Amino acid sequence: MPLQPQKLGQALGESLTLHTTLCRKEAGAFQKAIQSGQEVVVACTQEKQLFSELASQTEGAISPIKFVNIREAGGWSRDAKNASPKLAALLAAAHLPEPDPVPVVPFKSEGRLLIIGALDAAEKAAALVSDVLQVVIFAQGPGDAGGAQTRQYPIVSGQLQKLSGWLGAFDVTWTDNNPINLDLCTRCNACVEACPENAIGLDYQIDLNACQSHRACVKVCQSAGAIDFNRTAAEFSEKFDLILDLRTRTGAATFLQHAPPQGYFKWDGKDLGTLLKLRDMVGEFEKPKFFVYKQKLCAHSRNETVGCNACVDICSAEAIASDKSRQQIKVNPNLCVGCGACTTVCPTGALTYAYPKAQEQGLKIKTLLSTYHAAGGQDAVLLLHSQEAGQKCVEELGRAAQLKLAHGLPAHVIPMSLWHTASLGMEVWLTAIAYGAKQVLVLSTHEEAPQYLDGLEAQMAVAQSLLNGLGYAGIHFQVLQAKNAMDLESGLQASQLTMSHNKPGTPKALAKFAVAPEKRSTLELALDHLSEHAPTVLTVDSSVIALPKPSPLGGLKVNAEKCTLCLSCVSACPSSALQDNPDLPQLRFIEKNCVQCGLCATTCPEDAIELVPRFLRTPERKQAQVLNQSQPYACVRCAKPFGTLKAIEAMLGKLAGHSMFQGAALERLKMCSDCRVIDMYSNADEAKIANIPPKL
């Protein structure tokens, strides 16, 4: 791996010493460095465990230690000789501080395990974990071999009614509707032998569809008394810490979502890794609370009318539910797996990713790209990948390149690991382009749920339309789907080929702004910079950029003929994009604030509002524009304005034929509320309840 310590040091602003066997004969240099008290970055992850052990054994070792992989990420590549800018960028990012701590979600497991499946397979699994876990078996048929003669584990059976919860808190409800009581059954097999219809299996349960009520089984079981056809079906509930579901081959598993709850495992009977994980799930655990929810910004619902449902639809863990009666969503932190897809598709920033925060990820991207450019790098491509399967693909590709089996990561492709690739969205991708990236690639492996890809591609379509509308040529965003290193190699080569034919455009000046804590603020900063330095000069024809749906940006079209200025849309708008005028009957609109949630259109009783996904480049986007206005309607009695002409005319037209609004009653609809009351009490012909004689 060719390294240029002097060139790297200049890019990083420090003096670097090249070591070739730091983990062996040059270990003394590492020990001396970690005694200095200054931060130490080790550019090797292969020997991370060895370095950590060496640090623990070194007296006076007080320096914080960080590790970064520059070998598979760039040094092992056919472009290695040109990879110095990328290596400098990776080393600079390694110096960044760790993400700020966030509240944690605690779990506690005492090891109570419920195994659900065929009895023979369940007993096989139980034998492999029962030394550390308290096993209960929920038998779902005998399987191929049936249960063992020796009963070693508590067994229940029946019809599963409910299974919910998470690690340490699973609630299981079932109905025991079989005549054989498994607690009393001694497994003597007398009933199996006596049954003329072979309706009793080796799970010691009776197939009631096959049973012909000979009751021979009852006679041979008199001593144990385990069989009673008159027994009333009873419902039972128990709590368990862990669930092992063996019904994967039949498709009857309980949790079918892409990301099941922690503590719930599926087992195909072969993968022993699953059982090894299960054995370790005893004790107290915690995970970060990955999200922050601000109900005030949420565009999910108003007045029990649903607008934006993006987070509910995309959540692969089913951790988000609608609570429209309270104008909000509910996120269960115990079920949340931290994928961040909900924060990516949220148009308002009501849901934000908390660990790491957006500004911390933005700082990392800015550091990577600025260092890369300062070191002389060109045509930077940011490759976002996950910390598990994505990282594995990158490392495998690096090793294949070292063995001359692949090209490896090109010198201009900078990898950046994320907890989950769905956790960053359009506002951060556009910021990366503003920082000088030619492309942003998102590596998708088997980890991502199908709806994540749909969400990412929809966001990319909007972001790409924005850039192309501003005059930036080429394709800037792409999802690379790869199951292994060779798939990644093919995807990168295809992306490079496209890039060489139509080079993606970047702004004339690189941005210096930082990613803000608020999603919409970051988006506006990126749009302002990209628009200001766009290749296309602002003209009347280029002032409006049409965007695909769903879009977090856009305007509204109001049908003035239908709109009565009832202003119900104003009260429904969660982002203050729609506003009234306290002095005049007007409907005003600030396009910059609109998140295209659709609550206004859904709420409008006249069906007069249409969403228009677009980006308006002119200053009017940030100013209040009048969408509709009307003449005020004055009270016919006191002349005080109390409504709009169109609204009063529409009301009169709808109620004029009603029997309750004839004569003076219809005339009162033209009065303000005060005059209406006065007229009712001053009219001598008006029937009053006080004048109605009582019945005798």
Side-chain angles (χ1 to χ4, degrees):
M1 181 172 67
L3 291 175
Q4 304 173 36
Q6 186 175 359
K7 188 174 181 180
L8 288 173
Q10 288 175 349
L12 297 171
E14 58 181 309
S15 178
L16 296 179
T17 303
L18 178 63
H19 296 277
T20 55
T21 53
L22 189 64
C23 57
R24 297 294 186 267
K25 64 181 181 180
E26 294 178 302
F30 169 72
Q31 290 179 298
K32 184 177 179 180
I34 61 178
Q35 291 172 328
S36 67
Q38 297 179 345
E39 183 182 79
V40 174
V41 174
V42 180
C44 175
T45 53
Q46 176 179 299
E47 299 294 344
K48 181 176 179 179
Q49 183 174 351
L50 176 62
F51 281 118
S52 299
E53 291 176 357
L54 189 59
S56 65
Q57 297 168 9
T58 300
E59 185 177 351
I62 56 175
S63 296
I65 306 171
K66 295 182 178 179
F67 297 89
V68 59
N69 182 351
I70 64 170
R71 190 176 65 181
E72 285 89 349
W76 280 358
S77 167
R78 293 182 189 176
D79 290 345
K81 63 180 182 297
N82 301 318
S84 287
K86 175 166 66 171
L87 301 184
L90 295 174
L91 290 169
H95 279 286
L96 293 174
E98 294 295 324
D100 292 335
V102 294
V104 297
V105 181
F107 298 91
K108 184 177 180 180
S109 168
E110 296 179 354
R112 280 182 50 83
L113 169 67
L114 180 67
I115 302 178
I116 307 174
L119 187 55
D120 57 350
E123 290 185 338
K124 175 185 173 183
L128 297 173
V129 298
S130 60
D131 58 323
V132 293
L133 301 174
Q134 307 167 47
V135 176
V136 176
I137 293 175
F138 194 143
Q140 301 287 291
D144 296 330
Q149 282 303 123
T150 305
R151 185 170 60 179
Q152 301 182 40
Y153 316 102
I155 298 176
V156 298
S157 67
Q159 186 173 356
L160 184 64
Q161 300 294 340
K162 178 184 177 184
L163 173 54
S164 61
W166 48 84
L167 175 62
F170 286 103
D171 292 310
V172 184
T173 302
W174 72 94
T175 302
D176 184 359
N177 54 1
N178 206 276
I180 299 182
N181 186 323
L182 292 177
D183 288 331
L184 299 177
C185 176
T186 62
R187 297 192 183 185
C188 67
N189 291 341
C191 60
V192 177
E193 183 178 359
C195 181
E197 297 91 8
N198 295 320
I200 304 178
L202 289 178
D203 59 341
Y204 306 103
Q205 294 289 275
I206 299 175
D207 182 352
L208 296 176
N209 292 322
C211 177
Q212 297 297 317
S213 303
H214 290 88
R215 301 298 188 262
C217 56
V218 178
K219 295 177 182 178
V220 298
C221 192
Q222 287 182 350
S223 59
I227 305 177
D228 182 3
F229 281 87
N230 295 319
R231 185 158 61 96
T232 303
E235 187 172 279
F236 297 91
S237 295
E238 289 286 345
K239 289 186 176 295
F240 294 91
D241 300 311
L242 301 160
I243 304 292
L244 180 62
D245 201 335
L246 310 183
R247 301 171 297 163
T248 54
R249 283 176 288 186
T250 64
T254 301
F255 295 104
L256 300 177
Q257 63 263 41
H258 186 271
Q262 289 181 289
Y264 175 85
F265 296 86
K266 298 177 184 177
W267 193 46
D268 58 4
K270 300 175 183 178
D271 180 19
L272 294 180
T274 300
L275 298 187
L276 291 176
K277 291 180 183 177
L278 196 62
R279 291 173 61 89
D280 290 334
M281 300 300 288
V282 180
E284 296 184 6
F285 307 90
E286 59 184 32
K287 67 176 180 182
K289 184 182 178 185
F290 289 101
F291 64 92
V292 174
Y293 176 58
K294 299 177 182 177
Q295 191 270 340
K296 185 172 69 172
L297 300 178
C298 186
H300 173 61
S301 64
R302 288 292 186 276
N303 303 322
E304 297 195 18
T305 299
V306 174
C308 174
N309 217 36
C311 60
V312 178
D313 293 338
I314 203 169
C315 181
S316 68
E318 297 183 4
I320 306 177
S322 170
D323 188 4
K324 64 180 182 180
S325 63
R326 300 177 65 184
Q327 302 186 166
Q328 64 180 13
I329 56 163
K330 294 186 294 185
V331 186
N332 188 324
N334 297 96
L335 295 178
C336 173
V337 295
C339 66
C342 56
T343 66
T344 294
V345 299
C346 177
T348 65
L351 274 171
T352 54
Y353 203 64
Y355 187 79
K357 297 181 177 69
Q359 55 267 41
E360 293 167 337
Q361 297 285 46
L363 177 60
K364 188 173 183 179
I365 293 173
K366 189 175 186 180
T367 301
L368 285 169
L369 293 173
S370 61
T371 307
Y372 177 82
H373 292 131
Q378 294 182 342
D379 298 336
V381 173
L382 188 65
L383 175 64
L384 304 177
H385 62 82
S386 67
Q387 293 178 347
E388 294 185 4
Q391 183 72 32
K392 184 179 178 182
C393 271
V394 170
E395 292 178 353
E396 286 179 353
L397 182 57
R399 288 191 288 272
Q402 199 267 344
L403 296 172
K404 311 301 183 186
L405 300 175
H407 185 288
L409 284 185
H412 66 285
V413 176
I414 307 171
M416 175 178 164
S417 66
L418 306 173
W419 176 265
H420 201 289
T421 52
S423 62
L424 292 184
M426 182 175 72
E427 74 285 355
V428 179
W429 302 335
L430 288 172
T431 298
I433 301 299
Y435 287 159
K438 288 283 185 180
Q439 279 188 323
V440 177
L441 305 178
V442 178
L443 175 58
S444 168
T445 63
H446 61 84
E447 295 174 308
E448 288 80 12
Q451 63 264 38
Y452 290 175
L453 298 182
D454 294 340
L456 290 175
E457 289 173 350
Q459 290 257 311
M460 285 184 175
V462 174
Q464 191 63 64
S465 296
L466 279 164
L467 290 180
N468 292 155
L470 291 170
Y472 295 99
I475 298 175
H476 298 78
F477 310 105
Q478 189 176 352
V479 175
L480 299 183
Q481 297 191 47
K483 295 180 180 179
N484 51 49
M486 292 301 102
D487 287 348
L488 176 57
E489 172 96 334
S490 299
L492 288 171
Q493 289 177 349
S495 177
Q496 266 192 297
L497 184 62
T498 303
M499 188 172 172
S500 62
H501 289 321
N502 192 0
K503 203 168 187 178
T506 53
K508 300 171 184 176
L510 300 186
K512 297 182 179 180
F513 66 85
V515 170
E518 298 82 17
K519 178 174 185 170
R520 296 292 293 196
S521 298
T522 300
L523 183 58
E524 289 299 321
L525 288 169
L527 291 173
D528 287 347
H529 182 86
L530 293 167
S531 183
E532 180 182 354
H533 300 283
T536 301
V537 179
L538 179 60
T539 62
V540 175
D541 293 335
S542 65
S543 63
V544 178
I545 301 172
L547 300 177
K549 294 181 179 181
S551 167
L553 303 168
L556 297 178
K557 185 185 293 183
V558 175
N559 188 327
E561 296 299 321
K562 290 183 177 181
C563 177
T564 62
L565 286 174
C566 67
L567 301 181
S568 58
C569 55
V570 174
S571 61
C573 181
S575 58
S576 299
L578 284 168
Q579 300 176 357
D580 63 352
N581 186 336
D583 300 319
L584 293 171
Q586 287 182 339
L587 176 62
R588 299 191 297 178
F589 177 63
I590 302 177
E591 187 162 327
K592 170 181 172 289
N593 294 347
C594 182
V595 298
Q596 296 283 287
C597 65
L599 273 169
C600 55
T602 307
T603 302
C604 179
E606 312 298 341
D607 195 23
I609 300 178
E610 180 184 349
L611 302 180
V612 183
R614 69 178 190 180
F615 175 61
L616 186 64
R617 293 182 64 186
T618 59
E620 285 77 19
R621 178 173 177 269
K622 300 180 181 181
Q623 301 167 1
Q625 304 295 314
V626 177
L627 295 183
N628 193 19
Q629 59 184 340
S630 175
Q631 296 179 5
Y633 188 91
C635 173
V636 295
R637 195 171 189 273
C638 69
K640 181 178 71 175
F642 72 97
T644 66
L645 177 62
K646 186 172 290 188
I648 300 302
E649 287 179 346
M651 180 175 63
L652 292 173
K654 290 179 180 180
L655 298 179
H658 198 283
S659 58
M660 291 185 64
F661 296 97
Q662 301 298 317
L666 183 64
E667 193 67 16
R668 288 194 195 101
L669 294 178
K670 304 175 184 178
M671 302 178 188
C672 66
S673 57
D674 292 337
C675 290
R676 208 171 296 153
V677 174
I678 294 171
D679 186 71
M680 287 176 62
Y681 279 91
S682 61
N683 190 340
D685 297 329
E686 187 75 24
K688 299 180 178 60
I689 192 170
N691 298 332
I692 299 175
K695 289 184 178 181
L696 299 177

